[in-house]
């Protein structure tokens, strides 16, 4: 199962041949490369499609309440999905990138961008990348990134905040170009916030660029934006294994399991037991003993997945996105008790909702904002306690089709 969230939608890939029904593949985990039986794969989408961002084509609905199969030519080969605010990137196992949705800022990467929002359109191949084997994709609010097998980084879309990393002075770049200043580095992971970017190298260094109005680059205060990748010196000497971006905040996990956070923190989304912004990385000491193996971020909240399958959340909770049954904010990571009886293997966040995958049951649970159908329920509503996403792989009784 392949899943990526934006504020309003989800993309999911299901291996129909498996007994458990679904397999969850995170866009930011190494497991996203595992081999699947392509003849048995199907891709589903739900949530907002007002800008054509689900790639369904030929439909009149603005929202899709429950998972619907996306009949896309390359759907059987889907490897990763990356959803921006109103656009989507899909990466195939062959390293080819497709896009759909809003192209107001050139974020789809096509040679002849149109400012028209193609609600009726399907996914279109990004021909500028056809000579490269792409291994990762990431989407910001109005820009996009890709990483190839040689560790080179490509960016395109809006550069209003310097997020393309090539000192374009705010111009729109409609087709992918290599980030020149990283050409001597071998990048192994890329992530986008709304208007900022992080890149992790094979030597464990982090480079950051784009908007810095909340300190989300980790470079210190005083600079509103940085238009060229800069080394996050505060983490120099600490080998980093994983990076993650929220809309305006950032995380890094070291090879020893230490978790560092920086950026916007007015709702406690950094998990540091305060609500002050932090322009330099700060270690979340309360997480050190928990064995955090993955982090997912929403707009103003964060989700931590531990090695033993527990889920902790912090930050803004007004839409129920923390999963605690109430809409309170949390300034330190708190365990989601409703998921405590299950071993969660992967989590993913939209801007205001969360999904968690339980492979032993082959089920996806959702909670948080749901007014555009992004929770996959029959009625658009918010929920503050994890609920099962009722997709075609689940029978009306709530059992897996194989169980029924």
């Amino acid at each position: 199962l392949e899943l990526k969230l934006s504020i309003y939608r989800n993309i999911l890939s299901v291996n129909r041949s498996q007994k458990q029904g679904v397999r969850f593949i995170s866009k930011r985990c190494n497991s996203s490369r595992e081999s699947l039986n392509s003849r048995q794969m199907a891709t589903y989408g739900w949530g907002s499609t007002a800008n054509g961002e689900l790639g369904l084509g030929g439909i009149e609905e603005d929202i899709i309440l429950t998972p619907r199969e996306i009949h896309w030519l390359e759907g059987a080969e889907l490897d990763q999905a990356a959803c921006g605010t109103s656009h989507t990137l899909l990466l195939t196992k062959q390293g080819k990138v497709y896009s759909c949705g809003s192209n107001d800022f050139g974020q789809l990467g096509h040679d002849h961008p149109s400012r028209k929002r193609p609600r009726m359109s399907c996914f279109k191949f990004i021909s500028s990348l056809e000579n490269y084997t792409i291994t990762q994709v990431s989407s910001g609010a109005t820009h996009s990134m890709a990483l190839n097998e040689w560790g080179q980084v490509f960016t395109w879309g809006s550069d209003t905040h310097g997020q393309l990393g090539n000192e374009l002075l705010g111009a729109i770049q409609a087709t992918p170009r290599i980030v020149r200043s990283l050409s001597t580095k071998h990048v192994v992971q890329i992530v986008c916030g709304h208007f900022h970017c992080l890149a992790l190298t094979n030597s464990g260094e982090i480079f950051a660029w784009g908007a810095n109005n909340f300190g989300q680059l980790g470079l210190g205060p005083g600079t509103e934006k940085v238009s060229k990748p800069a080394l996050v010196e505060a983490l120099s000497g600490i080998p980093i294994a994983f990076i993650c971006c929220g809309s305006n905040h950032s995380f890094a996990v070291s090879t020893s399991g230490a978790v560092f956070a920086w950026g916007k923190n007015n709702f406690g989304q950094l998990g540091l037991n305060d609500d002050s912004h932090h322009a330099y990385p700060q270690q979340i000491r309360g997480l050190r003993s928990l064995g955090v193996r993955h982090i997912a971020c929403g707009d103003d909240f964060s989700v931590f997945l531990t090695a033993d399958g527990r889920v902790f959340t912090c930050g803004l909770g007004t839409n129920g996105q923390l999963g605690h049954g109430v809409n309170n904010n949390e300034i330190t990571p708190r365990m989601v008790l409703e998921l405590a009886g299950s071993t969660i293997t992967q989590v993913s966040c939209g801007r205001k909702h969360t999904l968690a995958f339980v492979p032993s049951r082959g089920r996806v649970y959702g909670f948080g904002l749901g007014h555009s159908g992004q929770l996959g329920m029959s009625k658009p509503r918010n929920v503050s306690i994890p609920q099962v996403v009722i997709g075609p792989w689940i029978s009306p009784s709530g059992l897996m089709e194989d169980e029924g």
Side-chain angles (χ1 to χ4, degrees):
L1 181 156
E2 164 77 44
L3 179 63
K4 177 61 180 78
L5 309 178
S6 74
I7 185 172
Y8 294 140
R9 70 193 181 285
N10 315 296
I11 300 289
L12 175 89
S13 185
V14 172
N15 186 355
R16 291 166 166 161
S17 68
Q18 293 179 269
K19 292 293 186 182
Q20 67 267 34
V22 294
R23 178 178 291 177
F24 188 104
I25 305 175
S26 169
K27 81 176 185 106
R28 292 172 181 165
C29 288
N30 291 334
S31 60
S32 65
R33 291 292 181 277
E34 58 187 310
S35 176
L36 300 177
N37 183 346
S38 62
R39 292 177 298 175
Q40 299 295 330
M41 294 297 293
T43 302
Y44 294 87
W46 65 97
S48 174
T49 188
N51 296 289
E53 52 265 69
L54 287 181
L56 290 168
I59 63 171
E60 294 297 334
E61 298 105 313
D62 285 331
I63 62 174
I64 305 298
L65 291 178
T66 57
R68 181 179 300 182
E69 185 169 356
I70 300 172
H71 296 285
W72 171 51
L73 183 62
E74 301 292 334
E77 299 298 320
L78 177 64
D79 189 52
Q80 293 180 29
C83 299
T85 299
S86 57
H87 76 291
T88 303
L89 303 179
L90 293 187
L91 174 65
T92 71
K93 296 174 189 175
Q94 289 73 34
K96 303 305 178 185
V97 183
Y98 294 75
S99 62
C100 72
S102 172
N103 199 34
D104 290 351
F105 300 93
Q107 63 265 51
L108 298 187
H110 302 313
D111 293 330
H112 303 289
S114 170
R115 299 188 69 84
K116 180 180 179 181
R117 295 180 177 178
R119 179 153 124 195
M120 308 292 281
S121 70
C122 297
F123 292 97
K124 182 179 178 182
F125 176 57
I126 301 180
S127 58
S128 299
L129 294 173
E130 64 181 338
N131 294 324
Y132 302 95
T133 299
I134 302 301
T135 58
Q136 291 180 37
V137 290
S138 186
S139 296
T142 56
H143 72 293
S144 304
M145 296 179 69
L147 177 69
N148 72 7
E149 61 182 339
W150 303 110
Q152 297 172 308
V153 178
F154 299 80
T155 58
W156 62 97
S158 172
D159 190 56
T160 304
H161 301 273
Q163 63 264 48
L164 299 188
N166 278 324
E167 301 178 291
L168 299 178
L169 303 177
I172 287 178
Q173 180 179 293
T175 56
R177 294 183 186 177
I178 291 177
V179 179
R180 296 184 303 273
S181 64
L182 291 176
S183 59
T184 60
K185 305 292 182 179
H186 186 97
V187 174
V188 295
Q189 188 191 354
I190 55 172
V191 286
C192 292
H194 260 187
F195 305 111
H196 75 291
C197 303
L198 300 181
L200 175 65
T201 71
N202 60 353
S203 61
E205 296 177 314
I206 298 177
F207 288 83
W209 65 98
N212 194 44
N213 50 322
F214 296 103
Q216 59 263 52
L217 299 185
L219 304 175
T223 303
E224 287 291 304
K225 63 181 180 180
V226 175
S227 58
K228 180 180 179 180
L231 177 67
V232 181
E233 295 183 357
L235 293 175
S236 293
I238 302 174
I240 301 300
F242 173 83
I243 53 176
C244 180
C245 286
S247 293
N248 297 288
H249 64 295
S250 306
F251 288 97
V253 182
S254 74
T255 55
S256 65
V259 180
F260 299 88
W262 62 97
K264 188 179 180 182
N265 193 42
N266 54 326
F267 299 106
Q269 57 263 50
L270 298 185
L272 294 169
N273 199 29
D274 64 37
D275 57 4
S276 300
H277 306 322
H278 291 271
Y280 293 105
Q282 306 290 319
Q283 186 175 352
I284 310 176
R285 301 192 181 278
L287 290 177
R288 185 63 183 263
S289 62
L290 297 179
V292 172
R293 61 180 289 265
H294 185 75
I295 303 172
C297 295
D299 201 354
D300 292 303
F301 73 104
S302 308
V303 179
F304 306 90
L305 176 65
T306 66
D308 60 2
R310 291 179 294 166
V311 176
F312 293 76
T313 60
C314 65
L316 183 68
T318 54
N319 297 108
Q321 61 265 54
L322 301 186
H324 300 307
V326 293
N327 294 338
N328 298 335
N329 301 337
E330 299 288 342
I331 61 174
T332 57
R334 176 183 172 186
M335 187 168 71
V336 181
L337 295 177
E338 290 292 328
L339 296 174
S342 304
T343 299
I344 308 299
T345 60
Q346 294 187 44
V347 291
S348 192
C349 295
R351 284 179 60 190
K352 296 181 181 179
H353 73 293
T354 306
L355 296 189
F357 177 56
V358 182
S360 62
R361 302 177 184 175
R363 293 182 183 177
V364 179
Y365 292 84
F367 45 99
L369 187 71
H371 68 78
S372 291
Q374 58 267 57
L375 297 183
M377 301 185 297
S378 58
K379 295 182 180 180
R381 62 187 178 94
N382 299 352
V383 296
S384 58
I385 294 177
Q387 304 288 323
V388 175
V389 175
I390 306 299
W393 55 91
I394 299 287
S395 71
S397 67
L399 298 174
M400 295 300 302
E401 292 290 355
D402 290 341
E403 299 171 348

